[in-house]
Amino acid sequence: DLIGFAHSERPSNPTIDNVGPAAQADHVATFLVELAVRRATVVGHDFGAPISVLLAATRPDLAAALSLLAGNTFPDTPIPFPLSLTTTPVVGHLFSRLLFSAPSLTLMLRRGTGPDSAPPDAGVYLGDPGQRRTIATIISGALTRLADLYSPVAAALEDLDVPVLVGWGDRDPFFPIEQAERTACAANARLHVFHGAGHFLPHERPVDVAREIAAFATAIRK
């Protein structure tokens, strides 16, 4: 329930500066403080991964450990086709309108799961028009300002002083397993591969993901 998603408020004019990773990390920190959560095992899937890293870097008092699931934390990650079309000069905005339309985003949901998994519910994952605007803003902003937005994330990842678990599906069509290995290496983390799973791990393997995170959190408390 990040800002712009689910039951949280929608900015009237979402920009990468008010719904991007740094802004969302600030919101999560405020939320944890208001809930009087002293220290949490923070789990970030997809866009939640860079948010979690920045949260741990800026508010180390709140993050006891991180679990990063299938998310980009680097400024030089290759942009796959057709997303790369959105960065094309002059006509990039036209491709953006097509790629971030409701039908196109629904297709991405279907493509993102492993071969044995049903696709996520588009009504939940994409939500109302306000949520879809937030999603489009985040993706297009990340594509056009990748180095600017993710260089601080990559630097923070290497400087983390908390235990980190990295979880990945070996059938992820968006971020290959090499990305998982790179993430785990940068964070000096343990890598757990969910075999046969695609990108949407909490949806595809909820019991396995919960079990792995619980075991990780228990182990670091001992």
Side-chain angles (χ1 to χ4, degrees):
D1 289 63
L2 299 170
I3 295 299
F5 292 83
H7 298 292
S8 296
E9 65 186 59
R10 276 91 165 113
S12 57
N13 180 32
T15 69
I16 196 61
D17 293 313
N18 62 28
V19 296
Q24 298 283 8
D26 287 342
H27 289 310
V28 174
T30 300
F31 184 60
L32 291 174
V33 169
E34 290 187 0
L35 289 179
V37 175
R38 294 181 179 177
R39 282 172 69 79
T41 297
V42 181
V43 181
H45 170 256
D46 189 83
F47 181 54
I51 294 171
S52 300
V53 171
L54 292 178
L55 172 67
T58 57
R59 291 299 304 269
D61 55 310
L62 295 175
L66 299 184
S67 182
L68 308 177
L69 307 176
N72 180 48
T73 52
F74 300 106
D76 57 352
T77 298
I79 302 173
F81 182 86
L83 290 176
S84 57
L85 294 175
T86 63
T87 63
T88 305
V90 182
V91 295
H93 68 285
L94 296 176
F95 288 116
S96 294
R97 292 186 64 180
L98 291 172
L99 286 171
F100 302 137
S101 65
S104 180
L105 290 172
T106 300
L107 185 61
M108 288 186 196
L109 286 180
R110 293 174 180 169
R111 181 173 173 263
T113 53
D116 299 323
S117 303
D121 183 347
V124 173
Y125 272 68
L126 303 182
D128 60 15
Q131 180 166 317
R132 291 194 294 274
R133 280 195 297 272
T134 299
I135 293 170
T137 299
I138 289 168
I139 299 176
S140 61
L143 294 175
T144 56
R145 292 176 53 188
L146 187 61
D148 173 34
L149 294 171
Y150 280 78
S151 291
V153 179
L157 183 70
E158 294 189 349
D159 290 339
L160 287 176
D161 191 27
V162 295
V164 180
L165 168 69
V166 174
W168 227 267
D170 62 358
R171 303 296 292 272
D172 190 325
F174 304 138
F175 301 121
I177 199 67
E178 291 79 13
Q179 184 90 342
E181 294 165 349
R182 182 186 182 191
T183 305
C185 181
N188 193 26
R190 181 169 71 84
L191 171 61
H192 181 87
V193 177
F194 296 89
H195 295 285
H199 179 72
F200 297 102
L201 295 176
H203 164 75
E204 297 180 63
R205 301 290 177 82
V207 174
D208 294 340
V209 168
R211 183 186 298 118
E212 215 40 54
I213 293 170
F216 168 64
T218 299
I220 63 176
R221 286 198 297 265
K222 292 181 179 179

